Amino acid sequence: MNSKTRETINSHLNKIISEFRFNNRKLKQPKECPCYEQNKPCHNVDGELNCFLCYCPEYDNSKSEGGCKINSQKGKWYFHDKLPKGKIWDCSDCDNPHREETIRKHLKKLFGVD
Ligand code: SF4
């Protein structure tokens, strides 16, 4: 890939990431998510919550009880007798998919830029 192509893709990645910042999205697309209308981010993140990866690409959905492909220390098992496997992976305290460096990493991989 030549440097001009890389530069163009990186510039578009920056636009995508900035477009999906919570504070930007709630102003431009207030009906897109109930959290925008209520001005209540669904996760606490160091810095600004970013909504691009609403669903985490690291969630292991190959198992019915779920799991984390990167073993994030912020995820945890939730145990309950009525669950089919007695437990399910709980991401509610993890901010990984909402941090901009995570989004940039996945988009760069997708577009083949380093
Ligand atoms: S949100 Fe966090 S704990 Fe859950 S799958 Fe993604 S990285 Fe793992």
Side-chain angles (χ1 to χ4, degrees):
M1 178 182 302
N2 69 39
S3 62
K4 185 67 183 160
T5 305
R6 180 176 291 112
E7 192 180 301
T8 303
I9 291 173
N10 275 322
S11 139
H12 284 292
L13 297 189
N14 290 336
K15 283 184 193 159
I16 291 168
I17 290 169
S18 98
E19 184 62 33
F20 278 86
R21 288 180 181 140
F22 180 87
N23 285 323
N24 191 24
R25 215 70 192 152
K26 78 176 183 193
L27 293 176
K28 290 186 176 173
Q29 301 291 339
K31 302 282 182 204
E32 196 171 63
C33 174
C35 297
Y36 297 156
E37 285 190 292
Q38 297 163 21
N39 192 23
K40 283 189 181 167
C42 59
H43 292 275
N44 291 320
V45 178
D46 285 339
E48 187 174 343
L49 175 76
N50 193 295
C51 306
F52 184 76
L53 292 175
C54 188
Y55 299 96
C56 184
E58 309 294 359
Y59 195 87
D60 185 357
N61 54 14
S62 67
K63 302 174 219 150
S64 62
E65 71 273 29
C68 179
K69 293 184 214 166
I70 60 170
N71 297 315
S72 169
Q73 298 304 300
K74 294 180 179 177
K76 58 191 178 297
W77 290 109
Y78 173 77
F79 296 93
H80 197 283
D81 295 346
K82 295 209 171 8
L83 288 166
K85 296 274 176 84
K87 63 181 182 178
I88 194 160
W89 188 251
D90 173 3
C91 301
S92 56
D93 293 334
C94 185
D95 61 359
N96 181 58
H98 301 296
R99 286 188 282 117
E100 294 194 358
E101 60 267 27
T102 302
I103 297 163
R104 191 176 307 281
K105 180 186 91 174
H106 283 282
L107 285 173
K108 282 185 159 192
K109 189 174 170 190
L110 182 68
F111 288 103
V113 290
D114 43 41

